[in-house]
Amino acid sequence: MNLSLLLFLVGILGFILNRKNIILMIIAIEIMLLAVTLLLLISSFSFDDNLGQTFSIYIIAIAGAESVIGLSILVAYYRLRGNISLRS
């Protein structure tokens, strides 16, 4: 449980401190989603509930789709502007 909290805090700090680089912001969001998934898995294991494991699989699928959409928007932005810096 402490590991998932630590990962979530690292994700929040990564999102706040790296406002210039959008790739690092996407990675920080992924870390936060995986920390929530880890917390859900730990709590479902301790409560002996299979529903939490099912929800964690859905969260992982949504996180994968979110990263694909974010990276495709990033590629389209790079083709349009020529760079991926948020501050120009």
Side-chain angles (χ1 to χ4, degrees), residues 7-8 10 19-20 29 48-50 73 75 80:
L7 282 174
F8 193 78
V10 165
R19 300 294 277 185
K20 293 180 185 177
I29 291 171
D48 197 29
D49 187 21
N50 291 334
I73 290 172
V75 167
L80 183 67

Side-chain angles (χ1 to χ4, degrees), residues 3 12 14 17 34 50-51 54 59 62 68 70 73 79 84:
L3 178 65
I12 288 176
L17 295 177
L34 291 176
N50 291 334
L51 192 62
T54 306
I59 290 172
I62 289 172
V68 166
I73 290 172
R79 287 182 183 168
I84 57 171

Side-chain angles (χ1 to χ4, degrees), residues 20-85:
K20 293 180 185 177
N21 194 347
I22 195 162
I23 294 175
L24 291 178
M25 289 172 63
I26 291 173
I27 290 172
I29 291 171
E30 291 295 323
I31 289 173
M32 287 189 286
L33 278 172
L34 291 176
V36 170
T37 304
L38 181 65
L39 181 65
L40 192 61
L41 281 173
I42 290 171
S43 63
S44 72
F45 180 72
S46 61
F47 290 129
D48 197 29
D49 187 21
N50 291 334
L51 192 62
Q53 295 171 4
T54 306
F55 282 150
S56 67
I57 291 174
Y58 287 141
I59 290 172
I60 289 172
I62 289 172
E66 177 260 333
S67 65
V68 166
I69 290 171
L71 288 175
S72 65
I73 290 172
L74 184 65
V75 167
Y77 184 79
Y78 178 76
R79 287 182 183 168
L80 183 67
R81 301 280 184 201
N83 61 3
I84 57 171
S85 177

